[in-house]
Amino acid sequence: MLESVKQSIKTNTRKLYIESYGCAMNFSDSEIIASIMGEHGFETAQDAAEADVIFLNTCAIRDNAEQRIRERLKHLRGNKKRNKHLIIGVLGCMAERLKEKLLEEEQLVDVVAGPDSYRDLPALVAEVDDGGRAMNVLLSREETYGDVNPVRLNSNGVNAFISIMRGCDNMCSFCVVPFTRGRERSRDPESIVKEAQNLQYQGYKEIILLGQNVDSYLWFGGGPKKEFKRLSVEEQDRSIDFADLLKLTALSVPGMRIRYSTSHPRDISEKVVLMMAQYKNICNYIHLPVQSGNSRVLEAMNRNYTREYYMDKLRMIRRILPDCGISCDIIAGFSTETETEHQDTLSLMEWSQFEFCYMYKYSERPGTPAAKKLPDTIQESVKGRRLQEIIDLQNQISRNKHSAMIGKTAIVLIESKSKKSDADWMGRNEQNNVTVFPCGDYKKGDFVEVLIEKSTTTTLIGKAIGYASL
Ligand code: SAH
Ligand code: SF4
Ligand code: F3S
């Protein structure tokens, strides 16, 4: 690029502030957005008050996620009053779900952009500069942003997300994601490996491969997703599935920890688990959401597996990887769930002994199959009580599992200072348990062997006994 052109971009730099909500994929998208905007002279700011453009990268998964954004927008009215040139954009899943309604309902919003239209953001902002309001909510069957080199935001310099696919082709009846993120498509493995190596070169120690259903990752040369059996013989020969991708990544970044999320109980294969056993740098940890412990409810949720099938998958994982950490997502009070069916969720949790659980009250999302066919009839108070029972049980399980670690050692990757004290490090063991210990001479990014001496519901507490390798 000509020096003078570079200079003019520099002097024209405007400040962009991005706030992210929702899942890891959304946080990862914000890093793609920062990169695309960076190419057009926008520098990311740490503070909303100094920004020329504020983007809220939003989530629509439950009603309360959207209410939070509405509150945030109310608050931003003050910013807009103070700076009438301020541009406010609503991006991500809520933007995709509400489309032009968002422009009608929220007068201060200038830009609405869905998850597949981020390359268009600089043009959308330019439209606003010209005095308009702008929207792009087109979903794509091919966009993976594979060539975009993400700008790491709020990074601890130790772990980073890598998006390996986009969208979701499952139709879980409660879920808005297929509507907000469109059809599933996999990203070119070469660009994934390159991104991982680049992170390793910059000193990162752990990568987290992201997709809504990583087990259905399938690369055969690009374009919209096709079932393996529908591929031509050549496409089948050169195709790369999730297990192959794990191997490729594990070999490309030795010494770096690899995690991934999210697995689907129906699709996780023995091939993937065997690959985890074979490569030491793939963490023995799987996030395997069950949602409910009752087969009738699972059918109503359109999850495509039964309670027994889920239990068989856990048996398979634990046979191959006896010390694998397993975490879960659970929904309390899905439409039509009876008291006995709720009890089945509790008994499955007891049997499964999850390391950790994300637990939610069912929230009906407009337009989803459940909203159309299974009206939400469970009273809020009942949902609340069921959720509390689920939380209490999981806390008890986590407490017991953590205290069973006392006297044992764990290999911990140091991520940051502990929230409670600057004298302590915080890191995670392979099973993703948060571990805290006095800093000593160790530094961020070190792998350390820690002797566990105490524990709480959420944390292992101990002392470092030496450096460790993976
Ligand atoms: N792709 C992942 C989940 C993505 S959404 C999977 O299939 O497991 C993250 C979690 O939000 C889900 O696992 C589910 O537990 C929860 N969730 C999704 N829709 C919900 C709704 N309508 N109400 C309450 N919780 C919901
Ligand atoms: Fe939603 Fe189901 Fe897809 Fe997960 S797998 S994103 S719960 S539709
Ligand atoms: Fe993630 Fe929320 Fe969208 S959970 S995919 S940001 S609806």
Side-chain angles (χ1 to χ4, degrees):
M1 195 187 288
L2 279 172
E3 218 34 59
S4 57
V5 178
K6 254 197 215 162
Q7 201 54 40
S8 87
I9 288 179
K10 250 200 183 137
T11 44
N12 280 336
T13 296
R14 291 157 82 186
K15 290 230 155 70
L16 165 68
Y17 178 76
I18 311 180
E19 218 166 74
S20 310
Y21 297 80
C23 65
M25 301 223 54
N26 238 26
F27 281 75
S28 168
D29 278 2
S30 292
E31 302 186 330
I32 289 167
I33 294 164
S35 173
I36 291 169
M37 294 297 286
E39 295 281 308
H40 289 79
F42 288 83
E43 197 176 82
T44 42
Q46 294 302 319
D47 186 356
E50 57 181 73
D52 304 295
V53 177
I54 297 178
F55 284 159
L56 305 185
N57 191 6
T58 63
C59 173
I61 200 86
R62 285 167 289 276
D63 184 57
N64 56 11
E66 292 194 1
Q67 292 317 323
R68 248 182 104 195
I69 305 294
R70 303 269 189 193
E71 285 304 312
R72 187 65 183 123
L73 285 171
K74 259 190 220 150
H75 189 86
L76 287 176
R77 282 183 201 156
N79 295 50
K80 198 127 184 178
K81 261 193 206 129
R82 284 189 294 278
N83 169 9
K84 63 179 186 332
H85 298 296
L86 175 66
I87 294 176
I88 295 184
V90 177
L91 280 41
C93 292
M94 185 178 170
E96 188 64 48
R97 193 181 83 73
L98 291 169
K99 304 184 173 64
E100 60 280 345
K101 256 200 235 151
L102 204 51
L103 286 175
E104 286 158 22
E105 290 168 9
E106 302 285 349
Q107 285 305 315
L108 84 165
V109 172
D110 305 294
V111 175
V112 169
D116 286 343
S117 68
Y118 298 150
R119 287 183 202 270
D120 200 23
L121 280 170
L124 295 174
V125 169
E127 267 183 60
V128 180
D129 287 337
D130 288 343
R133 295 171 92 197
M135 178 170 89
N136 184 343
V137 287
L138 288 176
L139 286 171
S140 156
R141 296 193 69 169
E142 305 198 6
E143 178 63 275
T144 61
Y145 301 109
D147 58 321
V148 176
N149 189 17
V151 171
R152 304 292 161 186
L153 299 170
N154 305 317
S155 170
N156 59 11
V158 178
N159 39 30
F161 295 128
I162 301 183
S163 178
I164 63 164
M165 58 207 292
R166 300 183 69 82
C168 184
D169 276 357
N170 288 335
M171 264 287 174
C172 302
S173 62
F174 52 79
C175 186
V176 77
V177 172
F179 304 93
T180 61
R181 296 202 152 241
R183 301 300 299 270
E184 184 190 297
R185 62 224 101 122
S186 296
R187 175 178 170 191
D188 176 0
E190 216 174 287
S191 74
I192 296 171
V193 166
K194 226 163 82 191
E195 193 174 328
Q197 288 172 325
N198 197 3
L199 285 163
Q200 185 168 43
Y201 180 73
Q202 291 170 49
Y204 284 80
K205 296 294 167 63
E206 180 177 283
I207 51 176
I208 304 141
L209 306 177
L210 292 180
Q212 292 297 355
N213 179 6
V214 290
D215 303 292
S216 70
Y217 176 89
L218 184 63
W219 175 261
F220 51 89
K225 181 188 166 186
K226 278 193 255 172
E227 299 277 312
F228 182 79
K229 54 180 188 281
R230 291 183 192 274
L231 300 182
S232 67
V233 178
E234 300 93 85
E235 281 174 332
Q236 284 192 354
D237 279 349
R238 65 159 185 258
S239 73
I240 289 181
D241 65 12
F242 183 58
D244 303 329
L245 179 71
L246 273 180
K247 176 177 174 181
L248 201 64
T249 317
L251 289 171
S252 310
V253 288
M256 225 181 175
R257 262 188 184 175
I258 298 163
R259 297 187 189 276
Y260 62 87
S261 186
T262 299
S263 301
H264 193 292
R266 187 200 51 212
D267 298 331
I268 186 169
S269 65
E270 199 165 294
K271 186 177 169 195
V272 164
V273 184
L274 287 169
M275 212 55 94
M276 293 170 74
Q278 197 175 339
Y279 293 96
K280 228 176 147 229
N281 54 339
I282 308 175
C283 285
N284 283 349
Y285 168 69
I286 302 175
H287 184 56
L288 196 66
V290 70
Q291 315 298 0
S292 162
N294 176 273
S295 298
R296 190 205 63 87
V297 175
L298 287 169
E299 197 183 343
M301 288 176 162
N302 197 27
R303 288 289 289 182
N304 284 309
Y305 55 84
T306 60
R307 173 189 176 97
E308 290 68 36
Y309 185 95
Y310 185 85
M311 290 166 85
D312 279 345
K313 284 285 167 122
L314 279 202
R315 286 191 192 100
M316 179 273 285
I317 294 166
R318 289 190 166 138
R319 172 169 51 78
I320 301 170
L321 299 171
D323 69 339
C324 191
I326 309 229
S327 60
C328 197
D329 292 352
I330 289 179
I331 298 178
F334 181 64
S335 318
T336 71
E337 182 190 69
T338 66
E339 212 50 47
T340 337
E341 290 167 340
H342 162 62
Q343 291 297 327
D344 285 344
T345 296
L346 296 174
S347 72
L348 183 77
M349 292 170 69
E350 189 89 61
W351 184 88
S352 304
Q353 294 288 305
F354 299 119
E355 228 69 41
F356 182 81
C357 252
Y358 295 94
M359 300 158 281
Y360 311 102
K361 263 198 278 187
Y362 175 53
S363 164
E364 187 179 83
R365 308 309 292 130
T368 55
K372 287 186 188 149
K373 285 187 293 202
L374 295 168
D376 181 14
T377 49
I378 314 279
Q379 276 178 359
E380 270 310 296
S381 60
V382 174
K383 280 188 204 167
R385 196 247 312 140
R386 288 183 189 168
L387 177 64
Q388 197 53 51
E389 287 173 10
I390 289 170
I391 294 174
D392 290 345
L393 175 59
Q394 184 55 42
N395 283 348
Q396 190 195 319
I397 294 171
S398 297
R399 241 187 337 264
N400 291 345
K401 290 201 75 146
H402 284 162
S403 66
M405 283 293 294
I406 294 175
K408 297 186 178 156
T409 60
I411 309 292
V412 175
L413 169 60
I414 301 178
E415 289 179 21
S416 62
K417 286 287 168 74
S418 127
K419 265 189 228 142
K420 288 200 181 136
S421 161
D422 258 6
D424 291 337
W425 286 123
M426 186 288 276
R428 283 163 215 271
N429 66 1
E430 221 185 306
Q431 289 73 16
N432 216 24
N433 293 305
V434 171
T435 310
V436 168
F437 59 95
C439 292
D441 292 333
Y442 300 99
K443 53 183 196 317
K444 203 159 76 164
D446 283 344
F447 287 99
V448 178
E449 188 168 9
V450 177
L451 174 67
I452 308 302
E453 298 173 312
K454 283 195 288 182
S455 69
T456 69
T457 312
T458 53
T459 314
L460 300 173
I461 303 158
K463 67 171 182 221
I465 54 176
Y467 287 102
S469 57
L470 263 177

